[in-house]
Amino acid sequence: MRKKVALVTGGATGIGKKTLQLLADAQCDLVFTYVTSEEKAHLLCEQLQMQYGVKVDCFSCDVSDLKSCERLMKEIAFIYDGIDIYVHNAGPYIHARKTMMEYTTDEWQYIMNGNLNSFFYITKYILPHMRKERWGRIITLGFDRSDTAPGWIYRSAFAAAKSGLTSLTKTLAMEEASSGITVNMVCPGDITGQWKEATIEEAVLETEKRVPVGRPGTGEDIARVIAFLTDDKSGFITGSVIPVTGGVDVLGKVFRN
């Protein structure tokens, strides 16, 4: 039986890395992208291949750039027949708090292209293979309550891009359901720093009073949900937006600092 091939953008570090580990454990062959973390990316390739015995390839790709995405898909086509699982993880984020008026045009376009338009760029390439196979799993990442298009002060560009991505996720789910393709969104809570690559086992040893469940969230928390959605038996779940937040009000965080 042919192994499934999974593409995870922004996979060299953080939540993307944890997702790759779980997909490798499920015996998927892997492709992932990086921008600046070249050394970490190639080291991860070696580690995953040795530990799980799967094929792993990584490519430099700036998902905010159309030509870079086109080059990525051509490079993948030289090695693989197609992509069966696509995790749209990479998404630029500007940490500085800015009102809409404070964003430059370049910053605004960077956030929009990297979070929303890049999904269109890449998905256009991978859908024909999924349709041919009558099977596919597509997972996007959003933010809590993005399906309600909420206001998010100082995050206007990111919120607008991800809210648009949420609608596109739901739309694509309806369009491709008859082809055996599911499309869902996972919305992480406030997972920062070392916890992006931490395990649940590590997190349960810690106390975090600002999180209602009482512990920090981890990359593994998010990766477990993503991996579940890629399973053969998860085919009845599509067009869903799934928050994984530990009960944290992510959007209201700014008013508590």
Side-chain angles (χ1 to χ4, degrees):
M1 182 178 177
R2 183 181 69 85
K3 285 184 177 181
K4 296 289 194 299
V5 180
L7 166 62
V8 179
T9 55
T13 61
I15 292 171
K17 179 179 178 179
K18 299 304 293 184
T19 299
L20 287 167
Q21 290 170 343
L22 291 190
L23 293 177
D25 191 47
Q27 287 299 290
C28 294
D29 286 336
L30 305 171
V31 183
F32 69 94
T33 69
Y34 63 90
V35 178
T36 59
S37 305
E38 182 174 5
E39 186 175 342
K40 290 181 179 179
H42 288 288
L43 179 60
L44 181 59
C45 279
E46 295 175 6
Q47 291 173 338
L48 293 172
Q49 288 176 128
M50 290 180 63
Q51 184 172 356
Y52 299 100
V54 296
K55 182 176 175 59
V56 187
D57 290 283
C58 61
F59 300 97
S60 173
C61 177
D62 178 359
V63 296
S64 69
D65 181 73
L66 171 59
K67 292 189 181 300
S68 186
C69 290
E70 290 175 338
R71 184 170 61 251
L72 168 69
M73 301 317 297
K74 289 177 182 177
E75 290 172 331
I76 292 174
F78 278 118
I79 304 172
Y80 297 95
D81 293 333
I83 297 298
D84 304 290
I85 297 166
Y86 172 37
V87 181
H88 183 67
N89 172 64
Y93 182 81
I94 294 176
H95 290 274
R97 292 175 176 176
K98 295 188 175 191
T99 65
M100 190 197 75
M101 284 295 291
E102 291 171 329
Y103 278 94
T104 66
T105 301
D106 286 345
E107 287 173 333
W108 186 271
Q109 291 178 341
Y110 174 60
I111 295 295
M112 288 294 171
N113 287 334
N115 287 283
L116 177 58
N117 293 338
S118 58
F119 180 71
F120 170 77
Y121 301 154
I122 294 174
T123 305
K124 284 275 286 185
Y125 277 89
I126 66 176
L127 275 177
H129 171 79
M130 291 182 174
R131 286 174 170 176
K132 180 182 176 182
E133 295 295 318
R134 305 289 302 170
W135 193 96
R137 298 287 186 265
I138 300 173
I139 297 98
T140 60
L141 270 74
F143 66 89
D144 188 30
R145 305 198 303 276
S146 62
D147 53 334
T148 67
W152 192 357
I153 191 169
Y154 306 130
R155 300 285 182 252
S156 57
F158 187 78
K162 289 295 189 181
S163 295
L165 181 62
T166 308
S167 181
L168 182 53
T169 297
K170 292 182 175 184
T171 301
L172 196 64
M174 292 187 287
E175 292 177 349
E176 300 301 331
S178 61
S179 297
I181 301 167
T182 66
V183 192
N184 294 286
M185 173 176 274
V186 176
C187 298
D190 194 20
I191 300 173
T192 59
Q194 66 183 34
W195 296 110
K196 290 183 179 181
E197 295 186 12
T199 64
I200 294 170
E201 186 177 5
E202 293 169 321
V204 296
L205 300 176
E206 299 290 329
T207 299
E208 177 52 79
K209 294 181 180 179
R210 292 172 295 182
V211 179
V213 301
R215 69 161 175 88
T218 71
E220 185 183 7
D221 287 298
I222 310 306
R224 277 171 46 84
V225 179
I226 293 172
F228 169 76
L229 291 171
T230 68
D231 190 86
D232 266 327
K233 293 182 180 180
S234 296
F236 200 67
I237 306 169
T238 195
S240 296
V241 179
I242 304 172
V244 187
T245 67
V248 171
D249 176 14
V250 179
L251 276 64
K253 177 184 175 183
V254 64
F255 298 110
R256 299 190 299 273
N257 289 352

